[in-house]
Amino acid sequence: MFGAIVAGRLVQTNLQQIDETHFVFPLEQPYEINHLTVFLLGTVPFPEGYGASVHFAWPGKDYIPLGVLTNSKPSAIYRLRSHLPPDAPTGQPSPPAQLGIEIAPLPSLESILAGLSGQGESKSAEVVKKVEVGKIAEKVVKNLFNYLHSFGGEIKLTPETPIPLSVFQQWYTNFTRKIENDKGAAFLDRED
């Protein structure tokens, strides 16, 4: 009925049914997991008025809710790094984590979703407060400035110097490639 994929690994086929409404996937090497996809196989839909809650438990920890699957939303991708315990033994062997799935009536799943959306809003507000937009913009402009100066004598930079659009396009292509390869803009900090 359910499938799971840990990013970078094969499809999980080791689903264990605990009872009629509870299922578990053991997940090896849990501290190396960044993203996890959970989905309905499409062979058996939920009964009318039912769906499933998806939960995750790090080794030795309690289950935390990740989200909900329904017939109208048969798959979801979850980011687990944001839930990583502070004492996680990363890079070391550990027991498997547990991906738990519970089939439940839709009204009870709505309360799980309400709790998750409330957490997401407060986390988003926290992140926005921590980000100093001016500092990021300054680093991006500094990166562009350094790129333009890397041409040496090819382009004489003055306030009136016309710069071909193709130069900006090449900088942008390089910039986005670095972001994708770095999985973020950490390279901007290294340039300081």
Side-chain angles (χ1 to χ4, degrees):
M1 183 171 199
F2 301 103
I5 300 174
V6 172
R9 300 183 190 175
L10 296 172
V11 174
Q12 295 281 145
T13 59
N14 55 346
L15 179 68
Q16 300 169 5
Q17 186 168 359
I18 307 303
D19 58 33
E20 285 186 22
T21 60
H22 294 87
F23 303 84
V24 172
F25 280 106
L27 301 173
E28 299 295 326
Q29 300 168 314
Y31 299 110
E32 295 177 13
I33 299 173
N34 287 318
H35 292 86
L36 172 68
T37 302
V38 183
F39 55 93
L40 290 175
L41 294 176
T43 54
V44 180
F46 290 115
E48 189 66 34
Y50 281 82
S53 59
V54 179
H55 304 266
F56 184 83
W58 296 102
K61 306 287 184 187
D62 293 332
Y63 278 97
I64 52 174
L66 295 178
V68 170
L69 299 177
T70 63
N71 287 332
S72 62
K73 185 185 178 235
S75 65
I77 300 172
Y78 304 107
R79 185 173 191 275
L80 296 181
R81 280 284 166 206
S82 58
H83 301 287
L84 191 66
D87 60 345
T90 55
Q92 300 175 19
S94 70
Q98 301 289 316
L99 171 64
I101 302 172
E102 178 184 17
I103 298 175
L106 291 176
S108 67
L109 298 177
E110 288 172 9
S111 65
I112 291 171
L113 282 175
L116 287 172
S117 67
Q119 287 176 0
E121 288 169 12
S122 64
K123 281 185 180 178
S124 296
E126 261 180 53
V127 170
V128 170
K129 287 177 189 171
K130 289 181 181 177
V131 173
E132 294 182 32
V133 177
K135 290 284 185 192
I136 293 171
E138 181 181 328
K139 289 178 181 186
V140 171
V141 170
K142 184 176 179 181
N143 180 271
L144 173 59
F145 183 79
N146 290 339
Y147 178 78
L148 293 172
H149 273 281
S150 72
F151 287 95
E154 289 180 43
I155 299 176
K156 302 282 188 218
L157 290 180
T158 68
E160 292 81 30
T161 303
I163 300 172
L165 189 56
S166 62
V167 172
F168 285 103
Q169 181 59 47
Q170 185 59 45
W171 167 78
Y172 181 75
T173 301
N174 291 342
F175 187 81
T176 55
R177 181 185 39 80
K178 284 181 181 179
I179 288 174
E180 289 169 3
N181 290 343
D182 242 22
K183 307 279 191 271
F187 69 93
L188 290 173
D189 292 327
R190 291 192 298 268
E191 291 178 356
D192 284 346

